Amino acid sequence: MGNSGGSLTTRSTGELQQLMRAAGFTGIDDTEALAEGWQVTDFADAGRRSLANLVQRTGTPAVMVSFLDSDVGFIEAATPDGSSWEGLLNRDMAESYEIPLEHFPIEPAMAGALTWAEAAGLTPDEEAIRQTLTGSALFAEELSSALLVALGIPGAT
């Protein structure tokens, strides 16, 4: 059985785990520092508004990927100005779970990802973002890591 938790990536000057708990995240694991203040933290569960609450508390953009048994990743991202986007990782596997792909169109996710990266002050790689949103991998976490790199998050590998 694979990972069914999630991963949150944001830039925070405060104690990220405390901020995440206050925003409604549970089962928070260790935080990995990337570069330029960016951090990645794994979690077990998040409430429906946890991401929006966290972005409001930190005042910085954040991207969250929730995993379904390491097979599928559900992307949610938000910025302090209230804009957000969502996407899906590992679409082929999502079909095997009968997840309706039409609920996760690629072009709006692409546009949202590029806008999000710009709001975060990053330099995204448009083609690499498209590859993560349309590609497949044995584990959705691989695509999630590739998405962070494609968004231009400093220190992501």
Side-chain angles (χ1 to χ4, degrees), residues 34-145:
L34 299 178
E36 299 179 25
W38 286 92
Q39 302 174 53
V40 178
T41 302
D42 292 334
F43 59 89
D45 198 19
R48 196 167 92 64
R49 298 229 357 107
S50 294
L51 180 66
N53 290 340
L54 181 79
V55 168
Q56 186 177 39
R57 289 173 189 277
T58 62
T60 61
V63 61
M64 175 176 83
V65 180
S66 299
F67 299 105
L68 174 60
D69 201 22
S70 288
D71 291 330
V72 179
F74 298 93
I75 308 163
E76 294 180 60
T79 61
D81 70 3
S83 65
S84 63
W85 66 277
E86 56 183 31
L88 187 66
L89 298 174
N90 235 5
R91 296 175 79 81
D92 291 343
M93 286 301 296
E95 277 188 305
S96 72
Y97 281 93
E98 298 182 7
I99 295 169
L101 299 184
E102 65 273 9
H103 292 185
F104 300 94
I106 293 169
E107 292 312 314
M110 282 294 305
L114 294 171
T115 300
W116 182 91
E118 182 179 307
L122 303 173
T123 305
D125 179 335
E126 186 172 351
E127 186 53 37
I129 291 171
R130 183 173 302 280
Q131 288 174 357
T132 64
L133 295 175
T134 59
S136 61
L138 182 57
F139 299 108
E141 290 86 350
E142 296 171 40
L143 293 170
S144 178
S145 295

